[in-house]
Amino acid sequence: MNPEEARLEIARLSAELERHNQLYYENAQPEISDADYDRMFRDLELLEAAHPDLASPNSPTKRVGGKPIDGFEQREHVVRMLSIDDVFSEGEVHDFFKRMVKNLGETKIPMIIEPKIDGVAVSMIYRNGELEAAVTRGDGTRGDVITENVRTIRGLPLTLGDKAPEVLEIRGEIYMPNEAFAKMNEERDEEGLQTFANPRNATAGTLKLLDSREVAKRPLAFIAHGFGQLEGISFDSFSEFRSYLEELKLPANHPVWLEDNVDGVIKAIRELDIKRHDLEYGTDGAVVKVDSIAAQAQLGATSRAPRWSMAFKYPPEQKETVLHDITIQVGRTGTLTPVAELEPVLVSGTTVRRATLHNQDEIDRKDVRIGDTVVIEKAGEIIPAVVKVVTAKRPADAKPFNLYEYVDGKCPRCNSPIIRPEGFVAWKCENFSCPAQASNRLKQFVSRKALDIDGVGNIVAEKLVERGKVKDILDIFELHVDQLADFNIGTAVEPRMLGEKNGTKIVETARRAREAPLAKWLYGLGIPQVGESAALEASRLVEDIFQIPDSEIIEMVREKGLKDAWVKENPLRSAKTADLSVEEFEARKTKSEEYKRRVKELTEKLAPYEVSPELGGVASASLLGYFRSESGQAMLERMKQMGICPKSTNYLPEPSKAADSGASQVVGKTFVITGTLTAPRNDIKAKIQDAGGKVSGSISSKTDFLLAGEGGGSKRDKAETLGVTIISEEDLEQMLFQE
Ligand code: IVH
């Protein structure tokens, strides 16, 4: 084939394959068999291999993803990506309409009503009909360039044909269809991979992957709902834009209504409420937009959201069902949670069988009895909850429930006595080795935000604990492949082996996890009150995990926080002192003064470390308590023996030492980054953090330096107003080099 023939054939095959992609993914009406499709695909691959210069980055063959990248570039949005103002009642819809009538001076105002898609917002820039870039919303002004990942979405055209204008920026949502999400999660759990909490999280997580070949395996989809920059084309109305989408075969949002009066708008919102549960993605609202583009321009926008649009948020759906029984769940920290076992009922598109009852106090307050008909509610991603009892439907034999009696004062999983700590509403199992606690701790330890040990999903974690393979989280590092290969994750009757492949994966990722940064370890240990940010802040104050129990800084944070809280509680307020004797009152006063003085002293001592409030007194107390406890000490001892020593990757040395080392220019300083830089932002951020600096997203008077690349206008202006030093990349290199 000569080059000209090859060019034509590549174009023909590409167009055909894209057409079949559309038929398959968008219309669910394939015209050819999978085998025929594969054959065409291979023909195109071969031709492109023979004529690499003719292969387009938007060829259908590129939808399988390409080489992994180090990080995402950033790109400025030519037209800002705004938010939408939410409203929660029909009254507010009337208000919105009245505002439009007043501002536009018309009584009839055509408006579009369509579903609000619960996905991840992206902007797709097509230049001369070719997909040039896909960018996340980011901070609204600039976002991450995720083109490689977006290219893998089969239902999204990569080329728009000859009719396309010079620049067409399509905005919309990337989402994961509910069914595909459920299937993917099930498969992941079976393979021992971490599952996602909901389709939105799964979508966001997928789009952040640096390996587009992995993205290609995930079932993502796209729906367009607006436009940004346009060149060589314009629209008079949003309806016209929608017809144009159909013409270009870009997936548009359905169902849609066009109404020009407020009653019509409200009718549409109510109709959508019925239809939305049949949509293949999550929706918790209706978006209403003024149809005329001229009117939109006239109305303009606030700094946050356009004035021509609003999102009506539906109240969480409620359903009645029968509560057959109450069971008890034991959490990671031993908390006993009563769970309602329900007659299955469809709520917001998913079948609900269980709902949380929170604790005994809540059961008493709502007077929930076994056999009652109850109202349950599911709000978005939140776990379904029992809202109230329908007392009129209470059967004569409905049984009141008392948690303590029900479990006979013992943990239902390990039989140790349960207690209700003072000031707590929940009963707790105090046995640290309780299998329920152990498996939930293991789940947290291996989770993505912690040590990210692939291969241990919910099922595997439970079985490992249940069958005694993991008694203590550290046991995970001593598992062997052969031991795991024939490990039964099924039941005795229906055994299912983990297999060698999965076993190897667990052992290998666990080996890598030994080296994970201290912050991830601290979060993974699931110490009460120590979340991700507290863990990160604590890790800044020590060099490695073994320093924590004796850390003077953390001890000071603990003391300061707790004393400060006591003083702030104002124990001298008359309501609290009413019954006190004079001596008692005086003692309290002395204590309060002494505490105030000590807090002041500690504040001064701690000042150079600039400990963020993310690590407060309560978290520090819990952290120290854990590492100083018998089990905490035993764990550290065992880690030492195993040669595991999680190190801080953001350690801030003592300020005095820092000054000596010459690194004082970066240590403890706060940087803000803006504009286009020569390296991915995350890399630069890591460099600064490794040198003991902090990176923040927004400029304030506390900012020390603004690292400004090309562009980055608004932050530059703000830095100038606030008198923040603006530095270049070279300046930063200099500062880092001086160490
Ligand atoms: S139109 C400038 N239509 O919701 C705002 N947005 O909460 C006009 N969203 O950033 C956007 N479904 O990413 C529009 N049918 C829809 C939408 C929708 C979801 C997202 C969008 C926006 C966010 C605001």
Side-chain angles (χ1 to χ4, degrees):
M1 220 181 265
N2 70 36
E4 182 50 20
E5 283 166 350
R7 194 183 62 79
L8 287 172
E9 183 60 5
I10 286 178
R12 187 189 71 81
L13 285 170
S14 299
E16 266 299 275
L17 282 165
E18 277 302 86
R19 192 171 74 81
H20 290 300
N21 267 335
Q22 286 285 322
L23 286 168
Y24 186 91
Y25 288 100
E26 276 306 301
N27 312 346
Q29 276 173 337
E31 281 177 6
I32 57 172
S33 69
D34 288 2
D36 284 342
Y37 180 91
D38 291 343
R39 211 164 297 129
M40 238 197 283
F41 193 93
R42 256 196 319 278
D43 287 349
L44 179 58
E45 271 183 326
L46 288 173
L47 260 178
E48 288 179 340
H51 303 271
D53 50 318
L54 297 174
S56 149
N58 285 328
S59 159
T61 58
K62 299 297 188 299
R63 287 197 186 270
V64 291
K67 280 203 195 81
I69 54 173
D70 295 333
F72 298 112
E73 309 260 318
Q74 294 232 319
R75 179 168 166 145
E76 205 101 12
H77 297 298
V78 174
V79 179
R80 266 202 346 126
M81 279 181 92
L82 294 170
S83 196
I84 312 182
D85 284 330
D86 290 336
V87 306
F88 299 89
S89 66
E90 292 185 353
E92 288 170 285
V93 178
H94 279 277
D95 294 344
F96 174 78
F97 203 89
K98 268 187 224 148
R99 261 201 318 278
M100 297 304 112
V101 167
K102 191 168 153 234
N103 285 322
L104 297 171
E106 312 256 350
T107 48
K108 289 202 179 308
I109 301 168
M111 292 192 186
I112 289 276
I113 302 95
E114 62 180 31
K116 184 164 195 309
I117 305 148
D118 196 11
V120 173
V122 272
S123 146
M124 232 78 69
I125 300 130
Y126 290 93
R127 195 173 293 275
N128 298 318
E130 293 279 333
L131 179 70
E132 174 182 276
V135 189
T136 63
R137 175 160 134 179
D139 63 3
T141 319
R142 51 190 300 130
D144 288 336
V145 179
I146 53 165
T147 323
E148 296 308 312
N149 288 351
V150 168
R151 251 198 263 280
T152 66
I153 301 174
R154 300 300 205 280
L156 177 80
L158 302 177
T159 54
L160 300 178
D162 311 334
K163 279 179 287 173
E166 203 177 323
V167 178
L168 177 65
E169 180 184 349
I170 299 291
R171 289 179 175 176
E173 302 284 305
I174 294 182
Y175 65 95
M176 204 175 274
N178 292 335
E179 248 174 67
F181 164 76
K183 188 160 158 269
M184 180 189 84
N185 243 4
E186 240 166 68
E187 286 169 5
R188 288 179 69 87
D189 201 30
E190 276 175 17
E191 281 172 41
L193 294 171
Q194 304 284 330
T195 53
F196 291 97
N198 54 55
R200 217 204 80 83
N201 278 5
T203 306
T206 301
L207 290 175
K208 276 194 209 125
L209 293 175
L210 296 174
D211 187 345
S212 50
R213 287 170 302 199
E214 286 305 310
V215 182
K217 295 180 198 154
R218 308 264 181 95
L220 295 179
F222 173 79
I223 287 182
H225 57 53
F227 56 83
Q229 193 194 1
L230 299 177
E231 262 170 47
I233 189 158
S234 66
F235 305 105
D236 288 338
S237 67
F238 199 76
S239 319
E240 191 189 320
F241 167 68
R242 286 186 55 99
S243 329
Y244 185 67
L245 287 178
E246 316 244 309
E247 219 175 284
L248 293 181
K249 303 221 163 37
L250 275 160
N253 202 355
H254 289 285
V256 62
W257 289 260
L258 180 61
E259 299 289 344
D260 66 5
N261 59 78
V262 71
D263 293 333
V265 172
I266 286 176
K267 196 170 122 266
I269 290 176
R270 288 185 189 163
E271 281 171 14
L272 177 56
D273 193 15
I274 297 164
K275 290 192 175 171
R276 70 192 172 105
H277 303 298
D278 302 329
L279 297 173
E280 57 162 13
Y281 47 80
T283 39
D284 59 356
V287 176
V288 180
K289 307 171 193 178
V290 170
D291 193 38
S292 151
I293 306 296
Q296 288 185 3
Q298 192 182 330
L299 291 159
T302 66
S303 65
R304 217 189 76 80
R307 290 199 189 84
W308 45 263
S309 178
M310 59 156 212
F312 178 91
K313 291 300 203 63
Y314 294 107
E317 200 190 353
Q318 299 194 335
K319 277 275 175 72
E320 273 185 22
T321 188
V322 176
L323 186 150
H324 291 307
D325 199 1
I326 296 178
T327 54
I328 309 293
Q329 233 172 36
V330 185
R332 180 171 49 96
T333 54
T335 304
L336 269 55
T337 306
V339 177
E341 303 289 339
L342 307 162
E343 177 64 31
V345 40
L346 202 66
V347 194
S348 307
T350 50
T351 305
V352 173
R353 295 186 169 79
R354 316 178 79 200
T356 177
L357 286 161
H358 303 292
N359 53 57
Q360 182 70 49
D361 281 7
E362 285 290 294
I363 295 179
D364 295 344
R365 196 174 61 77
K366 294 174 190 149
D367 187 20
V368 179
R369 303 187 190 179
I370 296 172
D372 267 339
T373 292
V374 291
V375 173
I376 60 161
E377 175 177 290
K378 187 166 176 287
E381 306 162 358
I382 303 162
I383 313 165
V386 172
V387 185
K388 62 174 184 208
V389 172
V390 188
T391 5
K393 295 190 181 168
R394 172 168 287 166
D397 61 348
K399 267 204 314 256
F401 179 83
N402 180 289
L403 194 150
Y404 188 83
E405 282 167 19
Y406 179 81
V407 299
D408 198 16
K410 294 190 207 103
C411 168
R413 283 295 294 275
C414 72
N415 273 328
S416 7
I418 57 169
I419 56 140
R420 190 169 178 166
E422 223 191 282
F424 260 86
V425 286
W427 287 93
K428 283 183 89 172
C429 162
E430 284 272 275
N431 171 17
F432 193 74
S433 355
C434 167
Q437 291 190 46
S439 63
N440 286 321
R441 270 201 307 275
L442 179 61
K443 284 181 206 168
Q444 160 115 348
F445 190 63
V446 300
S447 70
R448 212 171 301 125
K449 288 180 183 169
L451 295 206
D452 196 11
I453 300 183
D454 253 2
V456 187
N458 287 343
I459 297 175
V460 177
E462 268 158 36
K463 295 288 169 188
L464 283 171
V465 170
E466 193 182 301
R467 311 244 151 99
K469 284 261 189 293
V470 174
K471 293 203 181 72
D472 172 320
I473 43 175
L474 294 177
D475 293 343
I476 194 96
F477 299 105
E478 293 186 330
L479 297 171
H480 297 293
V481 176
D482 44 348
Q483 190 187 6
L484 287 168
D486 48 17
F487 181 65
N488 180 8
I489 53 166
T491 58
V493 189
E494 257 183 277
R496 235 188 47 224
M497 301 308 153
L498 189 62
E500 188 166 329
K501 198 172 133 226
N502 289 327
T504 312
K505 191 157 66 187
I506 294 176
V507 172
E508 273 177 8
T509 43
R511 193 169 47 220
R512 250 179 283 137
R514 292 167 68 108
E515 310 292 326
L518 175 60
K520 301 261 176 189
W521 272 82
L522 291 182
Y523 170 72
L525 292 173
I527 304 163
Q529 314 293 337
V530 183
E532 259 186 303
S533 13
L536 188 67
E537 192 59 12
S539 120
R540 204 168 63 82
L541 306 173
V542 291
E543 278 172 284
D544 61 48
I545 202 163
F546 298 106
Q547 290 186 353
I548 293 183
D550 307 316
S551 162
E552 278 170 29
I553 311 178
I554 302 179
E555 176 58 46
M556 285 196 282
V557 176
R558 182 193 72 84
E559 193 190 338
K560 177 183 154 216
L562 301 183
K563 292 209 160 127
D564 204 25
W566 191 83
V567 173
K568 288 231 174 81
E569 238 227 81
N570 200 355
L572 302 177
R573 213 163 33 145
S574 58
K576 287 185 186 166
T577 55
D579 299 329
L580 294 183
S581 67
V582 177
E583 291 78 32
E584 281 169 329
F585 182 80
E586 283 303 319
R588 231 183 233 198
K589 205 165 144 195
T590 321
K591 186 171 164 188
S592 165
E593 268 150 26
E594 184 196 312
Y595 272 25
K596 270 190 205 158
R597 200 167 17 82
R598 179 69 179 143
V599 167
K600 193 164 160 257
E601 191 177 26
L602 288 167
T603 309
E604 277 161 21
K605 279 195 181 166
L606 280 168
Y609 301 100
E610 294 185 24
V611 181
S612 115
E614 306 277 11
L615 181 72
V618 178
S620 302
S622 179
L623 185 69
L624 293 175
Y626 178 84
F627 281 103
R628 288 171 182 172
S629 72
E630 213 171 294
S631 51
Q633 289 283 317
M635 184 187 72
L636 288 180
E637 190 49 42
R638 183 161 173 218
M639 286 175 77
K640 222 175 261 167
Q641 277 164 17
M642 293 167 81
I644 299 180
C645 177
K647 290 194 182 54
S648 168
T649 47
N650 58 344
Y651 176 58
L652 160 81
E654 273 175 53
S656 56
K657 282 190 199 153
D660 293 346
S661 78
S664 59
Q665 292 198 68
V666 180
V667 173
K669 294 286 192 288
T670 303
F671 291 74
V672 171
I673 309 178
T674 187
T676 315
L677 302 160
T678 59
R681 230 177 236 211
N682 278 339
D683 290 4
I684 297 182
K685 192 168 157 188
K687 259 197 215 170
I688 296 175
Q689 285 171 340
D690 286 348
K694 292 191 218 175
V695 178
S696 159
S698 60
I699 290 207
S700 71
S701 54
K702 294 220 179 89
T703 311
D704 296 296
F705 298 105
L706 175 74
L707 170 61
E710 207 120 315
S714 69
K715 287 211 174 119
R716 215 179 246 278
D717 295 346
K718 196 156 176 207
E720 275 166 13
T721 331
L722 291 170
V724 172
T725 317
I726 302 178
I727 58 165
S728 68
E729 256 184 293
E730 291 93 79
D731 296 336
L732 177 71
E733 287 302 324
Q734 285 255 326
M735 288 163 74
L736 293 169
F737 185 68
Q738 275 183 11
E739 276 188 58

